Amino acid sequence: MDAQFWWFYDAVAAVVVLLLMIFAAKKGAVKSLMSLAGFLIAAVIAVSISGGLGTSMQQSMIQNENAKKISKNLDNYRFENEVSLYLSTEFNRNVRADNLKKIYESDKPYNEQIYKYINNINGKKVAGEEAFYAILNRCYADLTRDIVSEELNEYAAETAAREVLENPESFNELIPLLMDRETKTPVGNFIAENYTADAYAEILSLVCLIAILIGIAALSFLLTKGLGNDSYERQSLVSHAVGAIAGIFKGAIVVFAIAVCVRLNVILGNDSMMFFNHEAIDKTYVFKYFYNFVVDKF
């Protein structure tokens, strides 16, 4: 990750706004305002419907495929072995997989049983209850991320881990599915529906947003291009000024579209590329507000 090029985003935003302001000033008030109206309509429609479109596409086109991809790598997966290795390393104790298996196959609360079991090893308490549960939830989150990252992208894997940490109770529903030796299909279905759906819905929503923006803005451009245009000399100073102001707003919409594209690159690049990373964006003076709006909205 490299933040030294943070200025690049603000520079691009400034150039875009300046160029559109100049072009709009030359066109005058009428064409610039009509063009701005088209851009505004494009932005409103794109923001309003892209989220729903992305979610619908994720559910109908992506979710089932992701579930199949996740399931196919779990035939030989032994959940209790992975937890045993993680907790043994974390607490420097021999946490036996067969004992964990008995706990996970019982009807009693898993976490409380594991806490008592590990504290009874060597007769020494490993951590307070709250601290222990935090480590156990991190264990579940890390294991979920590892499962997802085998077949899906890193952003989906990180999203899945975050979902487990934010809603650890949901993982208790997944444990019996992970312990089932007969089939792992329900595991893939559960993870795809509850842990990775938001990541792919966001990606598809951003793609839809860009497509709608470009489509409607292009249509607006074609419609306004056919309008008559007074010569530059015959337009009043007020017309040029109004056009320039309209150009500033058009520039802001274009910068918003650029922020959407950057967000897509950050997601698909897993926040690790030289330009497309959060650290660089957070250092900007202006561009970060457009970017954060996109993050908050989607």
Side-chain angles (χ1 to χ4, degrees):
M1 187 183 299
D2 198 334
Q4 64 177 318
F5 296 104
W6 63 267
W7 52 268
F8 178 78
Y9 295 104
D10 281 341
V12 169
V15 169
V16 166
V17 172
L18 181 61
L19 288 176
L20 286 174
M21 183 182 71
I22 293 172
F23 293 152
K26 293 180 68 175
K27 289 180 180 179
V30 176
K31 292 189 71 173
S32 296
L33 287 174
M34 292 195 68
S35 178
L36 173 61
F39 273 60
L40 287 172
I41 291 171
V44 171
I45 293 175
V47 170
S48 299
I49 70 174
S50 57
L53 278 175
T55 299
S56 178
M57 291 171 66
Q58 191 282 140
Q59 292 173 343
S60 62
M61 299 167 54
I62 304 296
Q63 187 168 301
N64 287 339
E65 289 302 313
N66 283 346
K68 292 176 183 177
K69 290 178 181 179
I70 293 169
S71 300
K72 74 177 185 180
N73 278 333
L74 295 175
D75 290 339
N76 298 316
Y77 189 82
R78 294 294 180 263
F79 174 65
E80 68 274 15
N81 292 348
E82 300 298 326
V83 176
S84 169
L85 178 61
Y86 190 104
L87 296 181
S88 295
T89 303
E90 185 69 33
F91 295 115
N92 195 27
R93 295 192 179 186
N94 182 23
V95 180
R96 294 174 57 88
D98 55 344
N99 288 334
L100 290 177
K101 184 174 184 292
K102 292 177 183 178
I103 290 173
Y104 287 133
E105 290 177 343
S106 73
D107 295 328
K108 297 179 181 179
Y110 307 129
N111 293 0
E112 289 84 345
Q113 290 188 78
I114 295 172
Y115 178 66
K116 292 177 181 177
Y117 162 56
I118 293 181
N119 278 329
N120 284 332
I121 300 175
N122 300 334
K124 185 178 179 182
K125 190 174 183 180
V126 294
E129 200 167 338
E130 185 175 341
F132 177 84
Y133 292 152
I135 293 171
L136 186 59
N137 290 333
R138 168 53 68 183
C139 167
Y140 294 154
D142 288 347
L143 295 182
T144 304
R145 183 185 60 230
D146 292 342
I147 291 172
V148 173
S149 64
E150 286 291 327
E151 287 294 333
L152 307 185
N153 65 52
E154 286 299 319
Y155 183 68
E158 291 298 332
T159 300
R162 186 174 65 249
E163 291 287 346
V164 172
L165 287 176
E166 291 177 354
N167 187 20
E169 294 81 9
S170 69
F171 197 83
N172 289 330
E173 301 176 40
L174 179 59
I175 290 175
L177 306 180
L178 287 165
M179 296 300 297
D180 189 346
R181 298 288 191 261
E182 298 296 325
T183 177
K184 289 298 190 294
T185 299
V187 176
N189 292 335
F190 187 95
I191 293 176
E193 180 180 354
N194 295 282
Y195 294 155
T196 64
D198 287 349
Y200 283 92
E202 180 182 358
I203 292 171
L204 292 170
S205 296
L206 293 175
V207 172
C208 290
L209 177 60
I210 287 296
I212 295 169
L213 273 175
I214 292 175
I216 299 180
L219 180 61
S220 170
F221 172 78
L222 293 175
L223 292 174
T224 57
K225 187 178 181 181
L227 293 175
N229 184 35
D230 293 335
S231 68
Y232 181 84
E233 291 79 9
R234 289 187 306 180
Q235 295 180 52
S236 68
L237 182 61
V238 173
S239 178
H240 293 309
V242 171
I245 294 172
I248 293 174
F249 284 101
K250 283 178 63 177
I253 295 173
V254 173
V255 172
F256 166 69
I258 293 172
V260 174
C261 294
V262 170
R263 176 60 180 163
L264 266 174
N265 277 280
V266 169
I267 289 174
L268 299 177
N270 194 32
D271 193 33
S272 60
M273 294 186 288
M274 180 174 291
F275 284 103
F276 303 115
N277 62 76
H278 288 115
E279 187 177 351
I281 295 169
D282 285 342
K283 287 189 174 183
T284 62
Y285 291 103
V286 176
F287 186 81
K288 63 183 177 184
Y289 295 106
F290 291 89
Y291 182 83
N292 289 337
F293 174 79
V294 173
V295 173
D296 294 339
K297 185 66 179 176
F298 298 95

